[in-house]
Amino acid sequence: MSAQTTPPAYRTAPWSKAIGLLIFTSRWLQAPLYLGLIVAQGIYVWVFLKELWHLLEGVFNLEHALTEAQIMLVVLGLIDVVMIANLLIMVIIGGYETFVSRIKVDGHPDQPEWLSHVNANVLKVKLAMAIIGISSIHLLKTFIGVGAITEQGAVENGEKYTSTGVMWQVIIHCVFILSALALAWIDRMSYHRAHAGETHDGVPVPIAGAEHGTVAAASPAPQEHAAAPPRH
């Protein structure tokens, strides 16, 4: 039996190492982008506080009090701001963790549940779900604002709604849902192609029976057949 031969080791040129290190370090160019999104997060906090103050003024104004429908529209606007802020948080934390550098928060009591297994596919699915939630809020605001819409359209709070515009809003919302389902389906297909025990996008594929604390028992060795009695 011939001895196994080890493949020859090739030395990497210094200039090749330098170029690879430069390309790897270039990921830090994205850090200012995520810092800019933090500034945008602060702007949304200011917008939320302004809308909340206008809501309080409208509720306690005895002369021109807001109606129930108007209050609902303002509250939906506040929820819309919160969901966009949640989307920003997922992009800032998840994007920085995936494409720039690890965030050392292991064991922190406030660590997000999804941060431990975040990757590009998980981040895309979560972003798609957040966009669907924001689109749902806008669609609900439209349904409340238009009321009984006619063929000529309806005007509510200075905005004109038409049946064609509402129809396109519903179509775009359905496209968002189909896109999220397609992303989740693609991720599920690639996950099923991985073997048990392997790591798929940073997440280990579970082994059958491991979640119940059991290990599949090996099949018993075949017993030897008893010797046939000698023939007379």
Side-chain angles (χ1 to χ4, degrees):
M1 185 175 181
S2 60
Q4 295 182 354
T5 58
T6 58
Y10 296 97
R11 297 183 60 184
T12 305
W15 60 268
S16 179
K17 289 183 179 180
I19 292 176
L21 183 61
L22 177 62
I23 293 174
F24 181 68
T25 310
S26 65
R27 72 191 191 279
W28 288 102
L29 292 175
Q30 294 190 15
L33 305 180
Y34 296 111
L35 294 177
L37 290 180
I38 295 176
V39 177
Q41 181 89 350
I43 294 175
Y44 266 100
V45 172
W46 175 250
V47 171
F48 180 88
L49 294 177
K50 284 180 60 178
E51 293 294 328
L52 183 61
W53 177 255
H54 292 331
L55 176 61
L56 293 175
E57 283 185 339
V59 170
F60 293 103
N61 190 348
L62 299 180
E63 296 182 358
H64 304 283
L66 296 177
T67 62
E68 183 179 357
Q70 291 174 335
I71 294 175
M72 189 178 300
L73 288 175
V74 176
V75 171
L76 287 177
L78 295 177
I79 297 175
D80 188 24
V81 173
V82 172
M83 297 191 70
I84 294 177
N86 293 339
L87 179 62
L88 283 173
I89 284 293
M90 283 191 291
V91 173
I92 294 171
I93 299 180
Y96 185 87
E97 173 87 8
T98 304
F99 301 107
V100 180
S101 179
R102 293 289 183 182
I103 302 177
K104 307 299 182 180
V105 291
D106 293 338
H108 195 280
D110 296 331
Q111 178 184 358
E113 180 271 335
W114 50 271
L115 188 59
S116 59
H117 53 270
V118 66
N119 53 67
N121 288 334
V122 172
L123 189 60
K124 285 188 292 186
V125 174
K126 286 186 176 295
L127 292 181
M129 296 303 296
I131 292 174
I132 290 175
I134 295 172
S135 176
S136 301
I137 295 297
H138 280 272
L139 198 59
L140 184 58
K141 288 173 63 178
T142 300
F143 289 162
I144 296 175
V146 297
I149 191 172
T150 61
E151 294 182 357
Q152 289 75 22
V155 178
E156 184 69 25
N157 296 329
E159 296 185 5
K160 184 176 181 181
Y161 299 94
T162 61
S163 56
T164 304
V166 175
M167 179 190 68
W168 277 109
Q169 279 190 342
V170 174
I171 292 176
I172 293 173
H173 180 69
C174 294
V175 170
F176 285 154
I177 295 176
L178 292 177
S179 301
L181 290 175
L183 288 174
W185 180 61
I186 292 172
D187 181 62
R188 184 176 179 84
M189 285 178 57
S190 58
Y191 183 81
H192 280 182
R193 288 179 181 176
H195 298 287
E198 292 183 353
T199 301
H200 171 69
D201 288 333
V203 181
V205 179
I207 302 176
E211 63 275 9
H212 302 291
T214 59
V215 180
S219 58
Q223 297 179 355
E224 297 181 356
H225 296 284
R231 296 183 178 178
H232 299 286

